[in-house]
């Protein structure tokens, strides 16, 4: 069974091969304290896989220039750092409306 760590490394390696810039935009790993603080602010607990992901990297540093197709672990989805994820979540956008943003 693949772990988040192994899958993450495979995705980053493939993106490097494709000349995607995401690996250059990765932030340093979040600490367990950062993850715990995010859980408190969001009001729910992260599963082990999400914790493992943020312990590898705290998302990316969005530059406002690079298209989102090059900034995520999957196309057209940004890999948000914890602070950006919290801010986006607090906007309270309904799922149906999220496709219009």
């Amino acid at each position: 069974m693949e772990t988040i760590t192994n899958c993450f490394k495979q995705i980053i390696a493939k993106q490097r091969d494709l000349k995607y810039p995401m690996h250059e935009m990765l932030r340093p790993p979040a600490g367990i304290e950062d993850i715990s603080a995010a859980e408190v602010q969001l009001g729910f607990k992260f599963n082990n896989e999400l914790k493992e992901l943020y312990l590898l990297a705290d998302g990316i540093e969005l530059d406002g220039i690079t298209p989102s197709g090059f900034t995520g672990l999957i196309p057209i989805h940004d890999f948000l750092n914890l602070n950006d994820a919290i801010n986006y979540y607090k906007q309270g956008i309904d799922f149906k409306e999220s496709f219009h943003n």
Side-chain angles (χ1 to χ4, degrees):
M1 177 192 248
E2 293 288 335
T3 65
I4 295 297
T5 301
N6 291 339
C7 292
F8 185 86
K9 289 177 180 178
Q10 289 174 19
I11 291 168
I12 297 303
K14 185 64 171 175
Q15 288 184 347
R16 277 192 181 116
D17 291 345
L18 295 170
K19 307 287 190 253
Y20 283 18
M22 190 188 100
H23 67 277
E24 298 167 359
M25 303 169 81
L26 287 172
R27 293 167 45 97
I32 199 69
E33 324 69 45
D34 302 315
I35 294 169
S36 295
E39 290 174 329
V40 169
Q41 289 187 56
L42 294 169
F44 59 83
K45 293 283 188 189
F46 288 10
N47 63 25
N48 290 336
E49 292 81 7
L50 191 56
K51 288 179 185 177
E52 183 180 351
L53 179 62
Y54 277 103
L55 289 168
L56 288 167
D58 184 15
I60 60 163
E61 196 63 52
L62 292 170
D63 62 11
I65 298 168
T66 307
S68 64
F70 297 105
T71 60
L73 294 172
I74 57 175
I76 73 163
H77 291 82
D78 292 326
F79 177 23
L80 296 177
N81 64 58
L82 287 172
N83 285 331
D84 288 345
I86 290 166
N87 290 333
Y88 186 79
Y89 183 82
K90 287 183 176 181
Q91 289 178 14
I93 298 172
D94 291 332
F95 181 73
K96 287 187 280 186
E97 293 177 26
S98 67
F99 290 102
H100 300 290
N101 283 313

